[in-house]
Amino acid sequence: MQHLKLETGMKGVFCLYMAMHGGYKSRLLWSLLVPCLYLSLILTLVLLLLLLGVRMWLQGRRKTRRAQDDGPAVAFFHPYCNAGGGGERVLWCSLRALMHRYPGVSFVVYTGDQGVTGEQILEGARQRFNITLPRSVTFVFLRHRVLVEASSYPHFTLLGQSAGSMFLGWEALTAFVPDLYVDSMGYAFTLPIFRYLGGCKVASYVHYPTVSTDMLSVVRERNPRFNNADFISRNPILSALKVVYYCCFALLYGLAGSCSDVIMVNSTWTLGHILALWRSPSRTSIVYPPCDIRAFLDVPLEDEDEMEGWEELGREEEDGGGGDRKRHSIVSVGQFRPEKDHQLQIRAFRKLLDRKGDGPGGRESLRLVLIGGCRNQEDEERVLMLRGLCQELGIADHVEFKLNIPFEELKRELVDATIGLHTMWNEHFGIGVVECMAAGTIVLAHKSGGPKLDIVVPYEGRQTGFLADSEDSYAAAMETILSLSPAARLEMRRNARDSVERFSDQEFESCFLAAMEPLMGTLER
């Protein structure tokens, strides 16, 4: 009994000790926490005051500039404006449309191109896209474009490029403070900088989302692609971590994109992803990119000499006769970037050559022409790799590379081609596909993205082209196109040409100006 009382007393003393000790620890923790909270509040207040000071400084610079220029200014953020892709065509057509509509507004282009002058950039736009601006534009040359280069971030590329774009955007903003800022290249993380620090109205033209649910599905399914390395796709832990990384990045990307006052997207596919990520349906609309179809529509499809040549070729092939054979060009138009998947084109073409054999009208009558722009040394190295692949497959004599060619040469190649080839998975739109259809080339595009949803679709119930998604299906489709009768080919070419009117420069300018009108109307004269 005494032992029980003693044990009970010891427990009481222990509990009292623990209570006193716990209270001491709580007081100690609280005494440390309170100064930290005060310090955090002070630092937050200092940061807000600093940001407010920066905003007032930038707005003061804008007022000074407006007093000197006597009018508002619109600035486009396009670090690669001297490249030759569809995004650059959107830039120049946008500028041309706004210049015609708003003669009292000045225009600026932020570019990271070095070693060229503004005059050379404009001349390049004229040669590549047949576009001449009605008046001058000011170029602000940025020195740190390397910050948005994918090669600068071997790991966490999306995060690195996005952070780099914020620094590049800050360089642009401090160099010139516009009244209206337009991101025409997809750098969404620059939008809050110009809106909240620069006090600018902001608009964006989205060619493709930086992150999408399709990218997430590729990682979840552990499918190796150009943006999902083999060592990650083979490892379930790394794949799971990458999914978490993509989800967190998608949240930040959505917050940045939602800062845009006006959002324009280039296709149905892009619209779906941007609505899911940016969640701003009332400010979002589809504005199909401008395609220079007028330059191709003046080429007649009904060429009697050509038709007779096709018929004669068909009879000679049936009879097994000799003589000259018409050469069939299979033309691909697209920048030499990894996502364009030129390797798939080359490997599918090799399979087509194997199918055709060496007989009359066989492999000797076929050539693959790869046309595209090279933005930098990385793209040039990619072309060298593709040339090496052609050598490895033994088809180098049948493949031609044409880099950064002028518009007139591009037009000749498309008009002379039999097949227009496109292989990018989930291409956001596909201006090259539209140009092929306008030129009267039978299109064979990837069964995904813009080509599937917007471009290579039936027109008034009639077929406008072909879709494929693998080496074998591409080779089979090319063989089918080559085996069509001249009349069947001509009918499909007519269908395709009739269907692309909705992608003309005029349609783009009309839709672009309508989307921009609410913001342009707010600019003080």
Side-chain angles (χ1 to χ4, degrees):
M1 194 68 179
Q2 291 180 350
H3 177 73
L4 182 60
K5 289 181 179 180
L6 180 60
E7 183 177 352
T8 303
M10 291 179 64
K11 286 183 178 180
V13 172
F14 178 76
C15 291
L16 179 61
Y17 170 78
M18 291 302 295
M20 293 175 61
H21 188 65
Y24 171 76
K25 290 177 65 177
S26 298
R27 287 193 301 272
L28 178 62
L29 181 61
W30 183 250
S31 65
L32 294 174
L33 184 60
V34 170
C36 290
L37 290 175
Y38 280 123
L39 181 60
S40 299
L41 290 174
I42 293 173
L43 291 177
T44 301
L45 181 60
V46 171
L47 179 60
L48 290 175
L49 290 174
L50 178 62
L51 293 177
L52 181 60
V54 170
R55 180 184 171 95
M56 293 177 63
W57 171 65
L58 292 171
Q59 288 182 337
R61 295 189 60 183
R62 178 169 62 239
K63 290 179 180 179
T64 302
R65 187 265 306 161
R66 288 197 59 166
Q68 295 173 348
D69 297 344
D70 192 28
V74 176
F76 284 77
F77 188 77
H78 209 102
Y80 295 91
C81 76
N82 200 35
E88 288 66 60
R89 191 164 213 288
V90 168
L91 169 67
W92 303 121
C93 284
S94 301
L95 283 167
R96 182 175 61 184
L98 291 173
M99 284 181 176
H100 281 303
R101 176 67 66 87
Y102 303 98
V105 177
S106 59
F107 294 91
V108 171
V109 174
Y110 300 116
T111 178
D113 295 298
Q114 299 292 326
V116 293
T117 63
E119 290 76 13
Q120 290 173 325
I121 292 175
L122 294 175
E123 177 61 21
R126 187 192 65 80
Q127 290 185 355
R128 292 168 183 159
F129 306 117
N130 197 29
I131 295 175
T132 302
L133 298 183
R135 51 194 171 92
S136 63
V137 59
T138 301
F139 290 93
V140 175
F141 293 91
L142 307 176
R143 296 173 298 170
H144 301 99
R145 191 177 69 179
V146 67
L147 294 174
V148 297
E149 295 277 359
S151 58
S152 300
Y153 310 98
H155 306 292
F156 299 100
T157 307
L158 291 181
L159 187 60
Q161 286 183 289
S162 298
S165 72
M166 297 177 72
F167 286 101
L168 194 63
W170 172 251
E171 180 187 351
L173 180 59
T174 53
F176 184 91
V177 186
D179 299 276
L180 171 58
Y181 169 77
V182 183
D183 168 36
S184 55
M185 207 173 173
Y187 292 105
F189 286 86
T190 64
L191 297 172
I193 292 176
F194 277 83
R195 177 168 183 170
Y196 296 116
L197 291 183
C200 309
K201 296 291 185 179
V202 295
S204 54
Y205 188 95
V206 185
H207 298 277
Y208 57 92
T210 304
V211 65
S212 66
T213 55
D214 295 310
M215 295 168 65
L216 286 170
S217 66
V218 166
V219 180
R220 284 196 185 103
E221 296 167 7
R222 298 168 63 187
N223 183 11
R225 284 186 180 269
F226 73 91
N227 58 352
N228 193 38
D230 288 344
F231 76 91
I232 293 179
S233 64
R234 290 194 296 263
N235 190 311
I237 297 177
L238 292 178
S239 294
L241 291 175
K242 190 169 184 178
V243 168
V244 174
Y245 162 57
Y246 271 3
C247 289
C248 294
F249 181 84
L251 177 62
L252 296 175
Y253 177 65
L255 292 174
S258 63
C259 295
S260 187
D261 297 299
V262 167
I263 305 166
M264 293 167 281
V265 298
N266 67 340
S267 68
T268 302
W269 181 85
T270 306
L271 175 68
H273 288 288
I274 291 301
L275 288 179
L277 293 167
W278 293 14
R279 300 183 183 277
S280 303
S282 62
R283 289 174 277 153
T284 307
S285 60
I286 296 179
V287 179
Y288 288 125
C291 307
D292 192 14
I293 62 174
R294 296 295 176 189
F296 300 101
L297 295 181
D298 60 353
V299 179
L301 295 181
E302 298 83 1
D303 189 331
E304 295 299 329
D305 292 335
E306 179 191 17
M307 292 292 292
E308 291 175 3
W310 280 109
E311 296 289 357
E312 182 179 355
L313 175 61
R315 288 193 298 270
E316 289 175 350
E317 288 182 353
E318 290 176 1
D319 298 336
D324 294 336
R325 295 290 185 269
K326 176 179 174 64
R327 289 181 63 86
H328 297 283
S329 294
I330 301 169
V331 175
S332 162
V333 180
Q335 287 184 317
F336 287 98
R337 304 201 305 260
E339 62 269 25
K340 295 298 184 180
D341 206 352
H342 288 90
Q343 291 191 47
L344 174 57
Q345 298 177 4
I346 293 171
R347 295 184 186 279
F349 181 67
R350 161 64 188 274
K351 291 196 172 185
L352 172 66
L353 294 180
D354 292 341
R355 287 169 177 256
K356 297 295 287 184
D358 297 322
R363 58 188 297 150
E364 292 305 317
S365 66
L366 303 176
R367 68 174 183 141
L368 174 64
V369 184
L370 303 179
I371 302 174
C374 282
R375 302 164 299 172
N376 47 38
Q377 181 65 30
E378 186 179 354
D379 287 352
E380 293 174 1
E381 291 174 356
R382 191 169 295 110
V383 171
L384 291 177
M385 182 273 293
L386 293 173
R387 291 183 185 274
L389 178 61
C390 294
Q391 292 283 353
E392 178 185 336
L393 297 178
I395 60 173
D397 293 341
H398 296 270
V399 181
E400 297 181 37
F401 290 82
K402 298 201 171 186
L403 313 179
N404 301 320
I405 63 175
F407 177 79
E408 287 302 321
E409 186 175 356
L410 168 65
K411 180 178 177 181
R412 285 197 302 271
E413 288 290 346
L414 289 181
V415 169
D416 293 339
T418 304
I419 299 173
L421 191 60
H422 165 275
T423 50
M424 179 176 171
W425 172 73
N426 272 342
E427 170 83 89
H428 36 93
F429 180 71
I431 288 181
V433 176
V434 174
E435 290 177 341
C436 287
M437 295 169 74
T441 304
I442 296 181
V443 163
L444 171 56
H446 199 282
K447 191 189 295 184
S448 64
K452 177 183 178 181
L453 298 175
D454 292 310
I455 304 175
V456 190
V457 296
Y459 176 72
E460 296 181 353
R462 295 172 291 170
Q463 186 176 359
T464 58
F466 292 80
L467 298 170
D469 57 7
S470 65
E471 292 179 22
D472 290 329
S473 60
Y474 270 101
M478 285 188 282
E479 188 175 30
T480 298
I481 295 171
L482 294 173
S483 65
L484 290 175
S485 67
R489 258 193 304 268
L490 181 59
E491 180 182 1
M492 190 173 299
R493 292 162 66 200
R494 286 174 178 166
N495 297 340
R497 176 173 279 189
D498 291 342
S499 72
V500 298
E501 192 69 35
R502 57 208 167 100
F503 306 127
S504 65
D505 285 3
Q506 293 74 18
E507 283 294 319
F508 168 81
E509 291 184 4
S510 176
C511 295
F512 179 80
L513 290 173
M516 290 291 291
E517 179 63 32
L519 289 186
M520 296 300 296
T522 64
L523 299 182
E524 297 178 1
R525 301 295 175 177

